[in-house]
Amino acid sequence: MRRKIAFISEHASPLAALGGVDSGGQNVYVGELAKHLISRDYIIDIFTRWGDPKLPKVISWLPGVRVIHVQAGPVQAIPKEQLLEYMPEFTDNMLQFITEEETPYVLVHANFWMSAMVAAGLKDKLNIPFVVTFHALGYVRRLFQGEQDKFPAERISIEKRIVQEADHIIAECPQDREDLINYYDAPSEKITIIPCGFSPHEFYPLDPLLARMVLNLDPAEKIILELGRMVPRKGVDNVIRALAGVRKMGLQVRLIIVGGGSDSEPEISRLRQIAHAEGVADLVTFAGQKNREVLKYYYSASDIFITTPWYEPFGITPLEAMACGTPVIGSDVGGIKYTVENSKTGYLVNPHDEKALAERIYEMLTDPILLRKMQRNAVRRVNSLFTWSKVSNMMASLYERIMLSSHSGINKAEQELMFIENAFEQAMETFSKSRQLLSYPILEAASTLRHCFLNNKKVLICGNGGSASESQHFASELVGRYELTQRQGLPAISLTSDS
């Protein structure tokens, strides 16, 4: 029984190109999470504001995932800082869509505070529970940006109301959780930390020379990369100034900046002026916005990935860089200090200290042994902790808990039955896939074991942690005769250790 979940992401569509002013990690988060949740037997509808008249109202993006454009204000691009007045219209039009389609959503996942406003309105009208990922908190943003923060002043009071009305809150890192508790009085039991992720099918180590050949980059240059939205708080100016410091140390390094649009954009123009003033305009390449398919080449072509925002609720780009085997120098803030392991997968620095940043760049680029060690550590860390598969499993478990504890138009007995039926369906699907994928490997393994025993050899079965007991059970089955009492015992040894 496939259940339908509504995602709301009012300004960040998964269809948007990355690197624009309002296109970044949230776009990736929404799209990747939806992609991975459909394998968990969910159907996902992503509701986002209709900002491009060339796009249809409903797009079947992937099997099981639709992107639904909701009219909220004029159908044109509007900065997210100016969208608050259109949220009542967004709520009304989304409510109308749900009513007309007679779509029984069992849960709403709101992304960003304005999406949570819409979710709260739907909960009031339809009694659908909702969870929220804020992605950024107004209070924290105001602390770092002050008067440069252009969001309406009432944002913080609205966020405080959302914290109380949401059925659950997803914090993206420990710092996010602390901020919710300290600044918003969020109950700790109402918060679950679930990080962002990356897809190992999309981001993986490539040969640097191949990547540079694809991008037509000099194979002999030392390259550092900055990638993301071009807004002042991302601290790209800090990286340019650090580049000048590295040049003064006697090292020539190229900085490639991916993101942003034309030179007419204020931030791009400002960064070019800084590069000229610092005397490194010849070493800075503004590559502009790039599609996601190309990003792995930029990561792999670079010696170091650098991201030094003033603050960062999470930050997906460091994960993607490390997945490609590129060490990261990042700000010692927010989610970056959670994902980047200092001195292991890169370095953490003060986001306003270009001298410290320049020293770390110089250290890493002049020590190939250190750089290779960090490359290996980076790949291991992200693959063990931050894949979208792991993230979606954590998210699905949270969804199940929320649905079982809520009463969204379905009585609790029906919800519990749905939960059990869904578990059986998932188990059947797993067995079906296992049958397709493992039948021939099992035959090959059996043939190898048979050949071993016929030649009077022994089998060593190793396991640690969770697989230790499996190793022992397999060895005891071979040595003993529990299932096949007529055959003789076979020589097998189990080697295990606790972890």
Side-chain angles (χ1 to χ4, degrees), residues 213-344:
M213 188 183 304
V214 169
L215 300 175
N216 197 28
L217 298 174
D218 187 341
E221 274 192 316
K222 295 186 183 299
I223 295 176
I224 58 177
L225 175 68
E226 167 79 43
L227 185 154
R229 291 189 291 130
M230 293 298 110
V231 291
R233 77 168 183 86
K234 291 296 184 179
V236 182
D237 52 353
N238 184 54
V239 183
I240 294 173
R241 294 187 177 99
L243 181 67
V246 174
R247 173 175 256 182
K248 290 174 183 175
M249 295 178 190
L251 190 63
Q252 289 283 98
V253 180
R254 175 155 302 280
L255 167 62
I256 299 178
I257 299 173
V258 175
S262 65
D263 286 353
S264 62
E265 287 190 13
E267 182 63 4
I268 296 294
S269 177
R270 186 180 77 91
L271 294 173
R272 284 192 181 277
Q273 291 173 10
I274 292 171
H276 280 285
E278 294 289 338
V280 291
D282 59 316
L283 296 178
V284 181
T285 299
F286 290 87
Q289 292 185 30
K290 298 297 176 183
N291 292 327
R292 284 189 65 72
E293 305 85 62
V294 182
L295 298 186
K296 61 178 175 288
Y297 295 103
Y298 279 97
Y299 288 127
S300 296
S302 305
D303 297 292
I304 306 171
F305 177 71
I306 301 179
T307 177
T308 55
W310 307 343
Y311 73 97
E312 187 62 71
F314 187 82
I316 288 179
T317 53
L319 297 183
E320 296 172 347
M322 289 189 286
C324 293
T326 304
V328 176
I329 301 178
S331 297
D332 190 13
V333 300
I336 298 175
K337 67 181 181 182
Y338 175 51
T339 56
V340 177
E341 190 173 7
N342 193 38
S343 301
K344 299 288 186 181

Side-chain angles (χ1 to χ4, degrees), residues 176-242:
D176 195 16
R177 181 180 183 274
E178 289 178 22
D179 291 342
L180 282 161
I181 293 170
N182 294 334
Y183 300 135
Y184 290 85
D185 295 320
S188 58
E189 68 274 9
K190 200 176 181 178
I191 305 172
T192 297
I193 296 175
I194 301 179
C196 297
F198 81 98
S199 171
H201 302 294
E202 187 178 13
F203 295 100
Y204 47 85
L206 293 169
D207 184 287
L209 292 178
L210 171 64
R212 294 189 180 198
M213 188 183 304
V214 169
L215 300 175
N216 197 28
L217 298 174
D218 187 341
E221 274 192 316
K222 295 186 183 299
I223 295 176
I224 58 177
L225 175 68
E226 167 79 43
L227 185 154
R229 291 189 291 130
M230 293 298 110
V231 291
R233 77 168 183 86
K234 291 296 184 179
V236 182
D237 52 353
N238 184 54
V239 183
I240 294 173
R241 294 187 177 99

Side-chain angles (χ1 to χ4, degrees), residues 127-143:
N127 198 30
I128 305 173
F130 77 94
V131 300
V132 56
T133 307
F134 280 103
H135 294 282
L137 293 168
Y139 191 98
V140 178
R141 183 184 175 98
R142 186 61 60 91
L143 281 176

Side-chain angles (χ1 to χ4, degrees), residues 222 251 303-304 327 347 359-375:
K222 295 186 183 299
L251 190 63
D303 297 292
I304 306 171
Y347 285 116
E359 290 171 352
R360 288 306 192 188
I361 294 170
Y362 184 87
E363 177 186 356
M364 291 172 67
L365 292 181
T366 55
D367 188 341
I369 295 175
L370 173 66
L371 198 63
R372 283 196 296 273
K373 178 183 174 182
M374 287 183 169
Q375 289 168 348

